[in-house]
Amino acid sequence: MFYELRRYKINDGKMDEWVEFMEGTIIPFQVSKGMVIAGSFRGEDETTYVWMRRFASEADREQQYADVYQSDTWRNDIAPRVAELMQPDIEVTRIVPTPHSVIS
């Protein structure tokens, strides 16, 4: 099992709109495709958004990526809105919980 820690830069003045879109559209859509969302956070600077997804294995991640990002819903409905709200440079770090982590 591993997590993806994903960090985004949200366009100035768009954080509230971004959080609403994430929580109302993106997260429910990804969960419907089998993804496990472990957390969603906004930064104090009003342009940083961070979230975590959990995967059982690399094969699991690959399948879920395909189910989400190759879908017509993502391509036609979600991706265009994402491009309006955030910068394209995304920072993704894979992390593995230590034995005493409360989210392992």
Side-chain angles (χ1 to χ4, degrees):
M1 175 186 59
F2 64 92
Y3 290 82
E4 281 185 343
L5 179 67
R6 302 176 67 88
R7 182 180 177 132
Y8 300 164
K9 180 166 175 56
I10 306 306
N11 292 333
D12 289 337
K14 298 293 184 178
M15 181 60 77
D16 289 341
E17 198 172 343
W18 172 257
V19 170
E20 183 179 325
F21 188 58
M22 279 295 294
E23 293 183 345
T25 302
I26 294 174
I27 290 174
F29 175 70
Q30 291 193 6
V31 168
S32 79
K33 298 295 187 181
M35 288 204 184
V36 176
I37 310 305
S40 172
F41 312 90
R42 59 190 300 161
E44 291 179 330
D45 64 3
E46 290 300 318
T47 62
T48 299
Y49 177 81
V50 178
W51 64 314
M52 294 189 310
R53 301 190 293 196
R54 186 183 75 212
F55 299 97
S57 65
E58 178 58 21
D60 182 45
R61 186 199 68 79
E62 289 175 5
Q63 183 62 56
Q64 290 176 16
Y65 263 50
D67 292 346
V68 167
Y69 297 116
Q70 293 176 17
S71 72
D72 288 339
T73 299
W74 184 267
R75 290 179 179 167
N76 299 326
D77 302 329
I78 297 175
R81 188 76 180 116
V82 168
E84 293 173 8
L85 297 172
M86 64 174 274
Q87 299 296 308
D89 48 324
I90 298 171
E91 183 180 318
V92 179
T93 304
R94 286 189 182 198
I95 53 178
V96 177
T98 58
H100 292 111
S101 175
V102 297
I103 65 167
S104 59

